[in-house]
Amino acid sequence: MRWCPNSILHLLRCVRLRLCTRRGKSRLPLWIREIWAYMRLLVRSLYFSSLTDSDVVFDSVFEPVFWTVDYVTRWFGLVSVCVFVLCAHLIILRQFSFEPLSVCPPVFVCKMFVCLVVILVSSIVVIAYVVLLPLVLNTYSPPWIAWHICYGHWIIVMIAFHYYKAAKTSPGAPPTEKNDIPFVAVCKKCIIPKPARTHHCGICNTCILKMDHHCPWLNNCVGHFNHRYFFSFCLFMTLGCVYCSISGRNLFLDAYNALERFKHLDMEKPGVPVTGMGLLIGLLPPGQTHYQTSAPPYTYKDKMIHKSIIYMWVLTSTAGVALGALTIWHAVLISRGETSIERHINSRETQRLAKRRKVYKNPFNYGRLNNWKIFFGVEKTSHWVTRVLLPSGHPPHGDGLTWDTFPVKKDLIPV
């Protein structure tokens, strides 16, 4: 097997000689030499030590693919705001006869996914205030009116607060200077010690404490300091979508039937027939001064209201199903004391030890209830209301650098 690396290096040397000029005086551009050195490093990483296994070979061979995906994803999150914002900006400038700006304002540097979330959620809120709230005030009894107003505004506040905190809060990164914090590995890309549960994010290009995943809808990593905000956003967004879907079901059916009825009425509009010379010259017959049809039994406002209700119900129903599945998945992981990355690592370790007739135990699983207490930062009974059911910006339990490992389940926080 030793001839494989030597033959590959020999092939790379031949290609390098072909790329260089015959005289050897002129050198290649810097970016080509950097890529060349990077490729040589990848080839050498295939046999850098006796501990090389299939995982190392796989990572080294597919490193260019991973790098390309990370690069494309990172810049995809930095795409300018949707064409909707650009068109609105140009329309406003044209409406007031202003000259277009030579430099794009900061709003155009916003992230496309974040703006999409804001636009979709804002559209549902606008429909709720403009269309649904008048219907609720005119048709429901006072107790139901109070319920819908209180619950709806509570959901809106919780969604907006947790989304803002999840997107703006840094997930946390290990210190780069020398310290005495225990670590479990050294990052191959950052070349810094990695504490337990720390992983490198190729999109953020840094190591993240207790990394769960990189969320494009937040344009931010989900880690130790914003994991609670992310899960709370998913949870309350799901509750809001389910609420809109269930309470708006009858309105959706009525709106759909109304639009179908409007279509049939449009197809059956009566008109005044054109006879005589009007057939030849395109005019009405003598004695007829205008062409008149009966007014439709509905207005444009009625049609738009029905379409808005259908749009709201379809969007909230589909988003509720998708976000509900995601929320349930993360709830299961939190109950087990895992993150999305640790789920794969623990599954692989479980299978590896099972072949040796051993049982793998997650060292960060403190018991189902304790896992939730640690995740939400619940330190006393009242915190279930003030820190879970109400907006709270309290920091998570621990610093994300050191973790207590318990071989048995014990009540870490006696609440």
Side-chain angles (χ1 to χ4, degrees):
M1 298 296 294
R2 294 183 177 178
W3 62 273
C4 294
N6 295 332
S7 60
I8 295 176
L9 287 178
H10 180 69
L11 179 61
L12 292 175
R13 293 192 186 97
C14 293
V15 174
R16 184 181 62 181
L17 292 176
R18 292 285 184 181
L19 293 175
C20 297
T21 57
R22 295 181 180 181
R23 296 182 180 181
K25 294 183 180 180
S26 61
R27 298 178 62 84
L28 293 173
L30 179 61
W31 64 274
I32 295 181
R33 285 185 279 128
E34 289 178 352
I35 295 177
W36 179 255
Y38 185 66
M39 297 300 296
R40 291 187 60 187
L41 180 62
L42 290 181
V43 173
R44 291 183 177 179
S45 66
L46 297 178
Y47 57 98
F48 73 99
S49 69
S50 60
L51 300 177
T52 301
D53 53 6
S54 59
D55 292 336
V56 176
V57 174
F58 181 85
D59 292 340
S60 301
V61 172
F62 284 88
E63 180 65 18
V65 179
F66 299 152
W67 179 84
T68 303
V69 172
D70 293 341
Y71 184 84
V72 172
T73 307
R74 186 186 302 117
W75 283 103
F76 190 62
L78 296 174
V79 176
S80 299
V81 173
C82 306
V83 179
F84 169 82
V85 181
L86 177 61
C87 293
H89 179 69
L90 295 178
I91 290 174
I92 293 174
L93 293 177
R94 186 175 180 180
Q95 184 72 21
F96 293 94
S97 300
F98 291 153
E99 291 296 329
L101 298 177
S102 58
V103 180
C104 294
V107 69
F108 289 98
V109 190
C110 295
K111 313 304 181 283
M112 187 178 67
F113 286 121
V114 176
C115 289
L116 184 60
V117 173
V118 173
I119 290 172
L120 293 178
V121 176
S122 300
S123 65
I124 299 299
V125 174
V126 170
I127 293 174
Y129 275 103
V130 175
V131 178
L132 300 183
L133 186 58
L135 293 176
V136 170
L137 296 177
N138 294 329
T139 58
Y140 284 35
S141 61
W144 278 110
I145 292 176
W147 155 254
H148 283 290
I149 291 178
C150 294
Y151 183 83
H153 285 85
W154 173 67
I155 284 292
I156 292 174
V157 170
M158 297 298 285
I159 290 174
F161 172 80
H162 287 102
Y163 183 76
Y164 177 80
K165 296 292 288 186
K168 290 297 182 180
T169 302
S170 174
T176 56
E177 64 274 3
K178 186 178 180 181
N179 54 73
D180 297 331
I181 298 174
F183 61 93
V184 296
V186 176
C187 181
K188 298 179 182 179
K189 297 184 178 180
C190 296
I191 318 298
I192 61 174
K194 290 198 305 182
R197 313 186 79 176
T198 300
H199 301 279
H200 184 88
C201 177
I203 300 175
C204 297
N205 198 25
T206 185
C207 287
I208 304 298
L209 299 177
K210 192 194 168 188
M211 178 179 175
D212 188 90
H213 69 287
H214 184 92
C215 181
W217 301 104
L218 300 175
N219 197 37
N220 194 11
C221 262
V222 177
H224 177 65
F225 291 101
N226 64 346
H227 194 182
R228 178 178 66 87
Y229 298 128
F230 167 78
F231 177 78
S232 297
F233 165 73
C234 293
L235 176 62
F236 290 109
M237 180 66 83
T238 301
L239 294 178
C241 290
V242 172
Y243 164 72
C244 293
S245 180
I246 294 177
S247 61
R249 178 179 178 274
N250 294 331
L251 293 175
F252 164 75
L253 295 177
D254 295 341
Y256 181 81
N257 294 329
L259 288 180
E260 290 296 324
R261 187 169 62 254
F262 293 164
K263 287 183 180 179
H264 291 295
L265 291 176
D266 290 338
M267 295 176 62
E268 297 175 359
K269 276 185 178 179
V272 178
V274 179
T275 58
M277 291 297 294
L279 293 175
L280 299 177
I281 62 177
L283 299 176
L284 294 176
Q288 197 97 27
T289 57
H290 60 279
Y291 185 84
Q292 185 176 8
T293 59
S294 61
Y298 61 89
T299 63
Y300 179 77
K301 180 181 178 180
D302 296 334
K303 201 170 184 179
M304 292 305 299
I305 288 176
H306 293 314
K307 288 185 177 181
S308 300
I309 293 175
I310 293 176
Y311 163 78
M312 181 206 67
W313 191 86
V314 172
L315 179 60
T316 55
S317 299
T318 53
V321 173
L323 276 174
L326 179 65
T327 304
I328 293 174
W329 166 249
H330 279 278
V332 172
L333 294 178
I334 295 170
S335 300
R336 297 175 178 176
E338 299 175 328
T339 62
S340 299
I341 297 177
E342 292 173 351
R343 173 61 179 168
H344 300 285
I345 297 175
N346 293 343
S347 299
R348 187 171 57 185
E349 288 297 314
T350 301
Q351 296 176 0
R352 184 179 66 86
L353 293 179
K355 296 179 181 179
R356 302 181 182 181
R357 298 182 180 180
K358 296 181 180 180
V359 179
Y360 174 77
K361 293 184 179 181
N362 180 16
F364 309 110
N365 185 7
Y366 310 119
R368 189 167 300 173
L369 181 58
N370 275 323
N371 290 333
W372 284 103
K373 292 178 183 178
I374 295 172
F375 180 78
F376 283 119
V378 175
E379 298 176 356
K380 54 184 180 180
T381 306
S382 61
H383 286 171
W384 289 108
V385 177
T386 59
R387 293 189 173 184
V388 179
L389 299 181
L390 294 177
S392 177
H394 65 278
H397 181 78
D399 56 1
L401 299 174
T402 57
W403 300 89
D404 296 328
T405 57
F406 294 89
V408 295
K409 298 177 182 179
K410 56 190 299 186
D411 196 5
L412 185 65
I413 303 177
V415 178

